[in-house]
Amino acid sequence: MTRETSVHGEWSSRWVFILAAAGSAVGLGNIWKFPYITAEYGGGAFVFIYLICVLMIGLPIMMAEILVGKRGKHSPINTLKIVTAETKQSKFWQIIGWMGTFCGFLILSYYSVIGGWTMAYVVKVGSGMFSHIDMLHDKAMIVSQVSGVFNQLMANPQELILWHTIFMMLTMTVIVGGVQGGLEKAILYMMPSLFIVLFILVGYAMSTEKFAEGIAFMFKINFSALLFSDCVDGYCKFNGQGILAAMGQTFFSLSIGMGAIMAYGAYLPKHVSITQAATIVVLSDTLVAILAGIIIFPIAFSNGLEVNQGPSLVFNTLPIAFGHMPYGTLFGALFFILLVLAAWTSSISILEPPVAWMVETGRFTRFSATLVCGILSWALGLLTIFSFNILSDFKPLSQFAMFKEATLFDLIDFLTSNILLPLGGILIAVFVAWFLPKALLLEELQMKANHWVYRAWYFTLRYITPVGVGLIFLKSIGILA
Ligand code: PFF
């Protein structure tokens, strides 16, 4: 039943796979999302829980996903069909593929919108829009000018739609090219350049007056801020939302729980170490997120900028840095170009699973499948765009305290990151660690049963990952007291 190679092609080497998976993982989740939710949940404690989730949930599930993909060699939907048939397991597990594919549509819909913001900023920063702020000596004035640019963009649905359309078209173009023709080329140069620019920005952040404060905010662990956010008269109620957010961010940032990494695993040549590849991907993803925080918080604090401002944080912080830096216009444009590239290499991994599945049905060419999926997701994206302007007051679940302020974008984000991805993750962990034969796992991992890495992975995936995700999950949706 198992094939030697995937019908969609194969990565040309192990390193290309690692770059592609890292390209999927490293994206807006690291540079745009990680800093603002870290701020939302109070800093250090959130980072600490996040790192534990990465180790105990992220890494084991990533290995499991690559393993299943490598075995099935198809889109996640068909891979699950093939692997369940091969191992004579219930068809129920095929839900992993279906749910993941559905979740991908939702994620791509807003991912492309935010990708569009970063493209808009390439033009804004590159045209010197922020270069004059160096002349202003009043910090408050600088902050208000910079945030004015962002607010103006949000208030303009036409401009947002334009950038969203361009971003989606870029994503679709690469997907039409197929595995070797499209995906590989986009990624090869991006990752190293992104690291270089991030390190230069860390250098700048170090020169700001509140560098130490920024670092303390990120690494000083204050659990009460995270756990007890509902305090009245000194009496605090446990609030697990921050922990759920840290877990959701783990799934989102590592691209796990919906089959994106599984789809990439399907194009993996036979003799590649899954453990090594997954470890490198997880480490680089985490490093980029931490670097983003190290850059953004000191700059924000040094300029008297509120860090708890949600999705606008990066867009209101970094332009200040570029405005002050020598060659800031050039640098700023370069940074946002790299952010666009990072977002692009992630968005292609979200679009690949449904397109691969449609091609496998035999009824679509790669071109027509890409067109259908891209247009569907693009249309859904309009909901996110309108959440920032004409529908900004539309809070469909405002009767629930937790979603009182939630716009459509917030709800789609919550549903995907905090519910669907963790649910997909639990299912993958349980399927692999409880239902697949050990011999199959060992064959795919190319390990012996007594190898400590295998034993640690198997134990974690079997017990710690599902129980951990399950508890956080139940706690946060209020089933447990
Ligand atoms: N990991 C990506 C990021 O951090 O930006 C986002 C993402 C990609 C999520 C692929 C999910 C996915 F399947």
Side-chain angles (χ1 to χ4, degrees):
M1 193 72 157
T2 53
R3 301 171 48 94
E4 278 298 301
T5 55
S6 157
V7 284
H8 307 285
E10 195 174 81
W11 304 111
S12 46
S13 76
R14 169 175 59 136
W15 278 105
V16 174
F17 168 75
I18 292 177
L19 275 176
S24 165
V26 176
L28 296 170
N30 308 60
I31 295 169
W32 160 72
K33 201 171 184 189
F34 179 78
Y36 86 75
I37 43 176
T38 297
E40 193 173 328
Y41 292 103
F46 179 88
V47 174
F48 180 72
I49 305 260
Y50 176 74
L51 294 177
I52 294 183
C53 287
V54 165
L55 197 68
M56 293 299 181
I57 296 171
L59 183 59
I61 293 184
M62 176 162 298
M63 287 173 65
E65 267 199 41
I66 302 176
L67 187 156
V68 174
K70 187 165 167 241
R71 188 72 180 191
K73 302 236 169 304
H74 283 75
S75 65
I77 291 180
N78 283 328
T79 282
L80 263 304
K81 274 194 189 147
I82 289 166
V83 178
T84 45
E86 185 198 355
T87 54
K88 305 200 175 40
Q89 294 301 337
S90 152
K91 286 202 168 108
F92 163 78
W93 298 109
Q94 295 176 14
I95 194 179
I96 298 174
W98 291 105
M99 208 172 73
T101 305
F102 168 70
C103 182
F105 273 107
L106 292 179
I107 294 186
L108 183 60
S109 77
Y110 75 80
Y111 205 84
S112 167
V113 173
I114 319 290
W117 299 358
T118 58
M119 293 179 86
Y121 266 69
V122 171
V123 177
K124 291 186 197 302
V125 177
S127 63
M129 203 176 241
F130 300 99
S131 56
H132 69 284
I133 61 170
D134 209 18
M135 256 95 85
L136 305 170
H137 292 293
D138 179 21
K139 278 186 184 166
M141 203 134 103
I142 295 177
V143 168
S144 94
Q145 290 223 353
V146 171
S147 52
V149 171
F150 183 79
N151 295 341
Q152 241 170 33
L153 176 65
M154 291 306 108
N156 187 342
Q158 283 93 341
E159 192 180 349
L160 292 174
I161 292 177
L162 176 75
W163 289 117
H164 168 48
T165 311
I166 298 176
F167 189 88
M168 192 62 91
M169 278 165 58
L170 279 181
T171 307
M172 290 161 69
T173 310
V174 180
I175 292 298
V176 171
V179 171
Q180 293 210 345
L183 304 190
E184 286 194 16
K185 296 216 169 64
I187 297 157
L188 221 53
Y189 296 98
M190 184 214 89
M191 291 294 287
S193 332
L194 184 68
F195 271 106
I196 295 174
V197 176
L198 283 179
F199 277 111
I200 295 174
L201 282 171
V202 170
Y204 172 79
M206 286 171 82
S207 74
T208 58
E209 51 188 289
K210 300 230 164 124
F211 182 65
E213 201 173 298
I215 296 294
F217 179 72
M218 259 195 92
F219 295 110
K220 219 169 119 199
I221 303 174
N222 170 8
F223 279 112
S224 55
L226 179 75
L227 296 175
F228 305 113
S229 40
D230 283 347
C231 290
V232 184
D233 292 337
Y235 172 76
C236 299
K237 223 169 70 193
F238 180 79
N239 175 333
Q241 287 313 313
I243 301 183
L244 177 70
M247 180 179 78
Q249 173 66 9
T250 306
F251 280 94
F252 184 84
S253 189
L254 293 176
S255 310
I256 52 174
M258 56 151 278
I261 291 290
M262 193 184 289
Y264 276 13
Y267 312 144
L268 203 55
K270 195 140 186 60
H271 301 287
V272 169
S273 161
I274 292 179
T275 319
Q276 189 197 39
T279 310
I280 297 176
V281 173
V282 168
L283 281 179
S284 37
D285 187 72
T286 309
L287 184 65
V288 174
I290 298 286
L291 286 178
I294 293 181
I295 294 165
I296 286 168
F297 293 124
I299 298 176
F301 288 140
S302 304
N303 289 282
L305 206 73
E306 170 73 61
V307 288
N308 193 1
Q309 54 172 287
S312 52
L313 182 62
V314 196
F315 297 96
N316 285 341
T317 314
L318 294 185
I320 299 183
F322 298 129
H324 288 313
M325 249 184 235
Y327 303 108
T329 298
L330 193 74
F331 242 154
L334 182 65
F335 172 83
F336 279 105
I337 288 174
L338 285 169
L339 194 51
V340 170
L341 289 175
W344 191 11
T345 54
S346 299
S347 64
I348 54 184
S349 76
I350 315 177
L351 188 54
E352 178 65 15
V355 169
W357 172 70
M358 286 174 81
V359 172
E360 286 161 11
T361 62
R363 271 173 278 184
F364 293 86
T365 59
R366 228 179 140 78
F367 183 80
S368 57
T370 307
L371 211 60
V372 172
C373 296
I375 291 177
L376 261 176
S377 208
W378 175 89
L380 261 177
L382 297 178
L383 294 180
T384 292
I385 289 188
F386 297 147
S387 300
F388 291 93
N389 36 68
I390 49 184
L391 291 181
S392 61
D393 290 327
F394 181 49
K395 318 253 160 91
L397 296 185
S398 58
Q399 68 268 39
F400 301 99
M402 206 175 132
F403 299 118
K404 206 164 174 307
E405 292 301 319
T407 60
L408 278 173
F409 159 68
D410 295 322
L411 292 175
I412 298 176
D413 179 29
F414 185 87
L415 173 69
T416 49
S417 297
N418 293 6
I419 296 184
L420 294 177
L421 293 182
L423 212 54
I426 291 199
L427 291 172
I428 292 165
V430 172
F431 176 59
V432 171
W434 289 89
F435 291 89
L436 289 186
K438 272 193 177 179
L440 184 153
L441 305 183
L442 291 166
E443 183 190 330
E444 293 302 333
L445 290 170
Q446 297 172 337
M447 277 184 190
K448 298 241 178 331
N450 58 1
H451 195 298
W452 72 269
V453 173
Y454 170 74
R455 284 169 47 187
W457 169 74
Y458 190 69
F459 180 82
T460 314
L461 195 70
R462 204 172 158 88
Y463 301 105
I464 302 180
T465 311
V467 173
V469 178
L471 280 180
I472 297 176
F473 206 54
L474 293 180
K475 176 86 204 155
S476 66
I477 54 175
I479 291 181
L480 292 180

PDB file of all heavy atoms in Angstrom, residues 25-49:
ATOM      1  N   ALA A  25       6.730  27.162   9.624  1.00  0.00           N
ATOM      2  CA  ALA A  25       6.584  27.508  11.041  1.00  0.00           C
ATOM      3  C   ALA A  25       6.858  28.991  11.288  1.00  0.00           C
ATOM      4  O   ALA A  25       6.084  29.683  11.934  1.00  0.00           O
ATOM      5  CB  ALA A  25       7.525  26.637  11.869  1.00  0.00           C
ATOM      6  N   VAL A  26       7.984  29.462  10.764  1.00  0.00           N
ATOM      7  CA  VAL A  26       8.358  30.860  11.020  1.00  0.00           C
ATOM      8  C   VAL A  26       7.526  31.773  10.141  1.00  0.00           C
ATOM      9  O   VAL A  26       7.547  31.663   8.922  1.00  0.00           O
ATOM     10  CB  VAL A  26       9.855  31.083  10.704  1.00  0.00           C
ATOM     11  CG1 VAL A  26      10.206  32.555  10.874  1.00  0.00           C
ATOM     12  CG2 VAL A  26      10.712  30.215  11.605  1.00  0.00           C
ATOM     13  N   GLY A  27       6.767  32.633  10.760  1.00  0.00           N
ATOM     14  CA  GLY A  27       5.926  33.529   9.961  1.00  0.00           C
ATOM     15  C   GLY A  27       5.359  34.629  10.825  1.00  0.00           C
ATOM     16  O   GLY A  27       5.962  35.030  11.826  1.00  0.00           O
ATOM     17  N   LEU A  28       4.189  35.070  10.461  1.00  0.00           N
ATOM     18  CA  LEU A  28       3.540  36.144  11.208  1.00  0.00           C
ATOM     19  C   LEU A  28       3.312  35.737  12.657  1.00  0.00           C
ATOM     20  O   LEU A  28       3.305  36.568  13.557  1.00  0.00           O
ATOM     21  CB  LEU A  28       2.197  36.473  10.558  1.00  0.00           C
ATOM     22  CG  LEU A  28       2.278  37.021   9.131  1.00  0.00           C
ATOM     23  CD1 LEU A  28       0.897  37.069   8.498  1.00  0.00           C
ATOM     24  CD2 LEU A  28       2.912  38.399   9.147  1.00  0.00           C
ATOM     25  N   GLY A  29       3.130  34.435  12.874  1.00  0.00           N
ATOM     26  CA  GLY A  29       2.912  33.932  14.225  1.00  0.00           C
ATOM     27  C   GLY A  29       4.050  34.307  15.157  1.00  0.00           C
ATOM     28  O   GLY A  29       3.831  34.584  16.339  1.00  0.00           O
ATOM     29  N   ASN A  30       5.269  34.321  14.644  1.00  0.00           N
ATOM     30  CA  ASN A  30       6.420  34.616  15.486  1.00  0.00           C
ATOM     31  C   ASN A  30       6.623  36.109  15.687  1.00  0.00           C
ATOM     32  O   ASN A  30       6.905  36.569  16.784  1.00  0.00           O
ATOM     33  CB  ASN A  30       7.706  34.063  14.844  1.00  0.00           C
ATOM     34  CG  ASN A  30       7.573  32.627  14.477  1.00  0.00           C
ATOM     35  OD1 ASN A  30       6.719  32.240  13.673  1.00  0.00           O
ATOM     36  ND2 ASN A  30       8.383  31.791  15.082  1.00  0.00           N
ATOM     37  N   ILE A  31       6.523  36.851  14.598  1.00  0.00           N
ATOM     38  CA  ILE A  31       6.947  38.250  14.662  1.00  0.00           C
ATOM     39  C   ILE A  31       5.768  39.179  14.935  1.00  0.00           C
ATOM     40  O   ILE A  31       5.890  40.165  15.645  1.00  0.00           O
ATOM     41  CB  ILE A  31       7.696  38.616  13.363  1.00  0.00           C
ATOM     42  CG1 ILE A  31       8.985  37.778  13.318  1.00  0.00           C
ATOM     43  CG2 ILE A  31       8.008  40.106  13.294  1.00  0.00           C
ATOM     44  CD1 ILE A  31       9.710  37.819  12.015  1.00  0.00           C
ATOM     45  N   TRP A  32       4.609  38.838  14.412  1.00  0.00           N
ATOM     46  CA  TRP A  32       3.434  39.689  14.631  1.00  0.00           C
ATOM     47  C   TRP A  32       2.641  39.239  15.865  1.00  0.00           C
ATOM     48  O   TRP A  32       2.329  40.031  16.748  1.00  0.00           O
ATOM     49  CB  TRP A  32       2.559  39.650  13.374  1.00  0.00           C
ATOM     50  CG  TRP A  32       1.141  40.065  13.552  1.00  0.00           C
ATOM     51  CD1 TRP A  32       0.693  41.345  13.773  1.00  0.00           C
ATOM     52  CD2 TRP A  32      -0.025  39.223  13.525  1.00  0.00           C
ATOM     53  NE1 TRP A  32      -0.690  41.330  13.889  1.00  0.00           N
ATOM     54  CE2 TRP A  32      -1.155  40.044  13.740  1.00  0.00           C
ATOM     55  CE3 TRP A  32      -0.235  37.852  13.329  1.00  0.00           C
ATOM     56  CZ2 TRP A  32      -2.460  39.552  13.761  1.00  0.00           C
ATOM     57  CZ3 TRP A  32      -1.522  37.356  13.351  1.00  0.00           C
ATOM     58  CH2 TRP A  32      -2.617  38.207  13.564  1.00  0.00           C
ATOM     59  N   LYS A  33       2.374  37.922  15.961  1.00  0.00           N
ATOM     60  CA  LYS A  33       1.444  37.474  16.994  1.00  0.00           C
ATOM     61  C   LYS A  33       2.093  37.235  18.360  1.00  0.00           C
ATOM     62  O   LYS A  33       1.547  37.632  19.389  1.00  0.00           O
ATOM     63  CB  LYS A  33       0.778  36.180  16.506  1.00  0.00           C
ATOM     64  CG  LYS A  33      -0.527  35.868  17.187  1.00  0.00           C
ATOM     65  CD  LYS A  33      -1.224  34.700  16.493  1.00  0.00           C
ATOM     66  CE  LYS A  33      -2.575  34.422  17.100  1.00  0.00           C
ATOM     67  NZ  LYS A  33      -3.154  33.184  16.595  1.00  0.00           N
ATOM     68  N   PHE A  34       3.236  36.563  18.345  1.00  0.00           N
ATOM     69  CA  PHE A  34       3.864  36.209  19.626  1.00  0.00           C
ATOM     70  C   PHE A  34       4.063  37.430  20.537  1.00  0.00           C
ATOM     71  O   PHE A  34       3.660  37.396  21.708  1.00  0.00           O
ATOM     72  CB  PHE A  34       5.193  35.474  19.383  1.00  0.00           C
ATOM     73  CG  PHE A  34       5.909  35.098  20.632  1.00  0.00           C
ATOM     74  CD1 PHE A  34       5.505  33.992  21.382  1.00  0.00           C
ATOM     75  CD2 PHE A  34       6.987  35.841  21.087  1.00  0.00           C
ATOM     76  CE1 PHE A  34       6.153  33.650  22.549  1.00  0.00           C
ATOM     77  CE2 PHE A  34       7.645  35.498  22.262  1.00  0.00           C
ATOM     78  CZ  PHE A  34       7.232  34.403  22.993  1.00  0.00           C
ATOM     79  N   PRO A  35       4.645  38.530  20.043  1.00  0.00           N
ATOM     80  CA  PRO A  35       4.837  39.674  20.955  1.00  0.00           C
ATOM     81  C   PRO A  35       3.519  40.214  21.508  1.00  0.00           C
ATOM     82  O   PRO A  35       3.423  40.503  22.690  1.00  0.00           O
ATOM     83  CB  PRO A  35       5.532  40.718  20.076  1.00  0.00           C
ATOM     84  CG  PRO A  35       6.168  39.936  18.985  1.00  0.00           C
ATOM     85  CD  PRO A  35       5.267  38.770  18.736  1.00  0.00           C
ATOM     86  N   TYR A  36       2.466  40.311  20.672  1.00  0.00           N
ATOM     87  CA  TYR A  36       1.288  40.960  21.241  1.00  0.00           C
ATOM     88  C   TYR A  36       0.508  40.068  22.190  1.00  0.00           C
ATOM     89  O   TYR A  36      -0.064  40.554  23.160  1.00  0.00           O
ATOM     90  CB  TYR A  36       0.425  41.644  20.175  1.00  0.00           C
ATOM     91  CG  TYR A  36      -0.623  40.821  19.440  1.00  0.00           C
ATOM     92  CD1 TYR A  36      -1.820  40.443  20.043  1.00  0.00           C
ATOM     93  CD2 TYR A  36      -0.436  40.484  18.106  1.00  0.00           C
ATOM     94  CE1 TYR A  36      -2.799  39.728  19.341  1.00  0.00           C
ATOM     95  CE2 TYR A  36      -1.403  39.773  17.398  1.00  0.00           C
ATOM     96  CZ  TYR A  36      -2.579  39.389  18.021  1.00  0.00           C
ATOM     97  OH  TYR A  36      -3.523  38.688  17.332  1.00  0.00           O
ATOM     98  N   ILE A  37       0.528  38.741  21.969  1.00  0.00           N
ATOM     99  CA  ILE A  37      -0.186  37.963  23.003  1.00  0.00           C
ATOM    100  C   ILE A  37       0.677  37.797  24.249  1.00  0.00           C
ATOM    101  O   ILE A  37       0.148  37.677  25.347  1.00  0.00           O
ATOM    102  CB  ILE A  37      -0.769  36.593  22.579  1.00  0.00           C
ATOM    103  CG1 ILE A  37       0.167  35.809  21.738  1.00  0.00           C
ATOM    104  CG2 ILE A  37      -2.099  36.715  21.922  1.00  0.00           C
ATOM    105  CD1 ILE A  37      -0.445  34.438  21.463  1.00  0.00           C
ATOM    106  N   THR A  38       1.988  37.818  24.085  1.00  0.00           N
ATOM    107  CA  THR A  38       2.841  37.817  25.275  1.00  0.00           C
ATOM    108  C   THR A  38       2.497  39.037  26.133  1.00  0.00           C
ATOM    109  O   THR A  38       2.359  38.943  27.356  1.00  0.00           O
ATOM    110  CB  THR A  38       4.332  37.861  24.869  1.00  0.00           C
ATOM    111  OG1 THR A  38       4.616  36.680  24.133  1.00  0.00           O
ATOM    112  CG2 THR A  38       5.241  37.921  26.076  1.00  0.00           C
ATOM    113  N   ALA A  39       2.335  40.171  25.478  1.00  0.00           N
ATOM    114  CA  ALA A  39       1.996  41.395  26.221  1.00  0.00           C
ATOM    115  C   ALA A  39       0.613  41.274  26.845  1.00  0.00           C
ATOM    116  O   ALA A  39       0.406  41.651  28.001  1.00  0.00           O
ATOM    117  CB  ALA A  39       2.066  42.602  25.295  1.00  0.00           C
ATOM    118  N   GLU A  40      -0.312  40.706  26.083  1.00  0.00           N
ATOM    119  CA  GLU A  40      -1.682  40.604  26.577  1.00  0.00           C
ATOM    120  C   GLU A  40      -1.751  39.775  27.870  1.00  0.00           C
ATOM    121  O   GLU A  40      -2.544  40.055  28.755  1.00  0.00           O
ATOM    122  CB  GLU A  40      -2.538  39.950  25.494  1.00  0.00           C
ATOM    123  CG  GLU A  40      -4.023  40.046  25.715  1.00  0.00           C
ATOM    124  CD  GLU A  40      -4.778  39.502  24.481  1.00  0.00           C
ATOM    125  OE1 GLU A  40      -4.262  39.641  23.352  1.00  0.00           O
ATOM    126  OE2 GLU A  40      -5.857  38.935  24.687  1.00  0.00           O
ATOM    127  N   TYR A  41      -0.898  38.755  27.958  1.00  0.00           N
ATOM    128  CA  TYR A  41      -0.953  37.895  29.137  1.00  0.00           C
ATOM    129  C   TYR A  41       0.193  38.159  30.107  1.00  0.00           C
ATOM    130  O   TYR A  41       0.606  37.279  30.854  1.00  0.00           O
ATOM    131  CB  TYR A  41      -1.033  36.427  28.713  1.00  0.00           C
ATOM    132  CG  TYR A  41      -2.363  36.148  28.052  1.00  0.00           C
ATOM    133  CD1 TYR A  41      -2.463  36.042  26.666  1.00  0.00           C
ATOM    134  CD2 TYR A  41      -3.537  36.075  28.802  1.00  0.00           C
ATOM    135  CE1 TYR A  41      -3.686  35.839  26.048  1.00  0.00           C
ATOM    136  CE2 TYR A  41      -4.764  35.875  28.197  1.00  0.00           C
ATOM    137  CZ  TYR A  41      -4.834  35.751  26.823  1.00  0.00           C
ATOM    138  OH  TYR A  41      -6.052  35.563  26.231  1.00  0.00           O
ATOM    139  N   GLY A  42       0.734  39.338  30.044  1.00  0.00           N
ATOM    140  CA  GLY A  42       1.602  39.781  31.123  1.00  0.00           C
ATOM    141  C   GLY A  42       3.083  39.465  31.022  1.00  0.00           C
ATOM    142  O   GLY A  42       3.823  39.710  31.967  1.00  0.00           O
ATOM    143  N   GLY A  43       3.570  38.920  29.918  1.00  0.00           N
ATOM    144  CA  GLY A  43       5.016  38.773  29.727  1.00  0.00           C
ATOM    145  C   GLY A  43       5.592  37.437  30.144  1.00  0.00           C
ATOM    146  O   GLY A  43       5.194  36.377  29.660  1.00  0.00           O
ATOM    147  N   GLY A  44       6.571  37.491  31.090  1.00  0.00           N
ATOM    148  CA  GLY A  44       7.414  36.336  31.422  1.00  0.00           C
ATOM    149  C   GLY A  44       6.703  35.013  31.664  1.00  0.00           C
ATOM    150  O   GLY A  44       7.138  33.981  31.149  1.00  0.00           O
ATOM    151  N   ALA A  45       5.619  35.047  32.444  1.00  0.00           N
ATOM    152  CA  ALA A  45       4.954  33.780  32.762  1.00  0.00           C
ATOM    153  C   ALA A  45       4.396  33.145  31.495  1.00  0.00           C
ATOM    154  O   ALA A  45       4.455  31.927  31.304  1.00  0.00           O
ATOM    155  CB  ALA A  45       3.830  34.009  33.768  1.00  0.00           C
ATOM    156  N   PHE A  46       3.882  33.985  30.610  1.00  0.00           N
ATOM    157  CA  PHE A  46       3.359  33.481  29.346  1.00  0.00           C
ATOM    158  C   PHE A  46       4.477  32.823  28.538  1.00  0.00           C
ATOM    159  O   PHE A  46       4.316  31.712  28.005  1.00  0.00           O
ATOM    160  CB  PHE A  46       2.722  34.627  28.549  1.00  0.00           C
ATOM    161  CG  PHE A  46       2.181  34.195  27.217  1.00  0.00           C
ATOM    162  CD1 PHE A  46       0.884  33.725  27.111  1.00  0.00           C
ATOM    163  CD2 PHE A  46       2.966  34.242  26.073  1.00  0.00           C
ATOM    164  CE1 PHE A  46       0.384  33.300  25.885  1.00  0.00           C
ATOM    165  CE2 PHE A  46       2.485  33.823  24.851  1.00  0.00           C
ATOM    166  CZ  PHE A  46       1.182  33.352  24.762  1.00  0.00           C
ATOM    167  N   VAL A  47       5.621  33.504  28.477  1.00  0.00           N
ATOM    168  CA  VAL A  47       6.751  32.966  27.708  1.00  0.00           C
ATOM    169  C   VAL A  47       7.178  31.621  28.294  1.00  0.00           C
ATOM    170  O   VAL A  47       7.437  30.655  27.564  1.00  0.00           O
ATOM    171  CB  VAL A  47       7.939  33.964  27.712  1.00  0.00           C
ATOM    172  CG1 VAL A  47       9.163  33.374  27.040  1.00  0.00           C
ATOM    173  CG2 VAL A  47       7.529  35.265  27.034  1.00  0.00           C
ATOM    174  N   PHE A  48       7.194  31.561  29.619  1.00  0.00           N
ATOM    175  CA  PHE A  48       7.604  30.329  30.295  1.00  0.00           C
ATOM    176  C   PHE A  48       6.658  29.169  29.936  1.00  0.00           C
ATOM    177  O   PHE A  48       7.091  28.084  29.549  1.00  0.00           O
ATOM    178  CB  PHE A  48       7.606  30.595  31.809  1.00  0.00           C
ATOM    179  CG  PHE A  48       8.013  29.421  32.631  1.00  0.00           C
ATOM    180  CD1 PHE A  48       9.339  28.996  32.658  1.00  0.00           C
ATOM    181  CD2 PHE A  48       7.075  28.730  33.395  1.00  0.00           C
ATOM    182  CE1 PHE A  48       9.719  27.903  33.419  1.00  0.00           C
ATOM    183  CE2 PHE A  48       7.440  27.631  34.155  1.00  0.00           C
ATOM    184  CZ  PHE A  48       8.766  27.218  34.168  1.00  0.00           C
ATOM    185  N   ILE A  49       5.363  29.421  30.048  1.00  0.00           N
ATOM    186  CA  ILE A  49       4.384  28.365  29.729  1.00  0.00           C
ATOM    187  C   ILE A  49       4.484  27.999  28.245  1.00  0.00           C
ATOM    188  O   ILE A  49       4.385  26.843  27.853  1.00  0.00           O
ATOM    189  CB  ILE A  49       2.940  28.842  30.018  1.00  0.00           C
ATOM    190  CG1 ILE A  49       2.820  29.311  31.450  1.00  0.00           C
ATOM    191  CG2 ILE A  49       1.913  27.770  29.653  1.00  0.00           C
ATOM    192  CD1 ILE A  49       2.218  28.368  32.417  1.00  0.00           C
TER     193      ILE A  49
END
